[in-house]
Amino acid sequence: MRFVLFPVLVLSACSSLVPATVMKLGGLSPLTADPADFAVNLSLPNGVDLRPNTARLVFSVTRSDTQHTEEGIFTLQRAGSVFTIHQSDHDDLRALQSVAKEWNAENPDTTQGALSVSLSPCRIGTGPEPDATVSVAVQVEQGGPFLPLVKGGPLSVVTSEAQLREMPDCP
């Protein structure tokens, strides 16, 4: 079974990524990780925020031999710059993890999954400076340290140029 853990990991050539954290995340299994343990700390630059209630975790698993896909979209709650999976979604995510485990046990070569985070940015005032940076840290154990994933990376790590141009004003 293959899993893509956060799309930002695909940017392994990005000099802002912290290799030790990437390796630690690569060793985690989205099939067994407890949803209550994960948190993301997102440090945005001046001029950018996130639209309220738009942060989501998307977990999907596909089995190519049976053409079945299961997907869950889970609310991320925000406390300052820290995002966690809302407690009301823990059981649903665990149920989806069980499906993924079952499919993987039945046929690991045809089972693939993905775990990603969806955020909707908005502009504050005139928006970010052209050289604005972002930092992302992840917590993989409840109460554990936040591990830096992206340190001072370009804003394009979390949003596209098109999204920056078309970014709505914050409410």
Side-chain angles (χ1 to χ4, degrees):
M1 174 180 223
R2 284 188 350 197
F3 259 89
V4 177
L5 269 177
F6 304 107
V8 75
L9 297 182
V10 175
L11 303 172
S12 59
C14 177
S15 63
S16 303
L17 284 175
V18 178
T21 303
V22 172
M23 288 178 61
K24 183 163 178 102
L25 286 175
L28 293 177
S29 171
L31 300 180
T32 58
D34 188 343
D37 289 348
F38 284 97
V40 176
N41 189 337
L42 181 62
S43 298
L44 294 169
N46 290 333
V48 177
D49 200 359
L50 299 178
R51 295 175 65 203
N53 306 312
T54 63
R56 304 278 185 263
L57 176 91
V58 181
F59 180 89
S60 65
V61 61
T62 300
R63 194 161 157 184
S64 61
D65 62 336
T66 62
Q67 303 303 313
H68 284 95
T69 297
E70 295 285 332
E71 179 179 88
I73 301 174
F74 306 98
T75 302
L76 294 176
Q77 60 188 11
R78 182 179 189 177
S81 63
V82 176
F83 294 83
T84 57
I85 299 167
H86 196 279
Q87 188 172 358
S88 66
D89 284 336
H90 288 183
D91 288 341
D92 289 340
L93 180 51
R94 288 181 183 123
L96 187 53
Q97 286 174 309
S98 292
V99 169
K101 283 184 219 176
E102 180 182 319
W103 288 1
N104 189 51
E106 291 172 3
N107 197 342
D109 294 333
T110 64
T111 304
Q112 292 185 320
L115 183 64
S116 62
V117 175
S118 169
L119 307 167
S120 297
C122 59
R123 178 185 342 272
I124 298 172
T126 60
E129 295 294 323
D131 59 348
T133 61
V134 64
S135 293
V136 180
V138 293
Q139 183 183 48
V140 295
E141 299 171 352
Q142 196 169 46
F146 277 91
L147 307 170
L149 180 60
V150 177
K151 275 185 157 178
L155 195 53
S156 61
V157 169
V158 295
T159 190
S160 70
E161 289 296 323
Q163 285 177 318
L164 282 172
R165 283 191 306 273
E166 299 167 9
M167 191 182 310
D169 290 335
C170 292

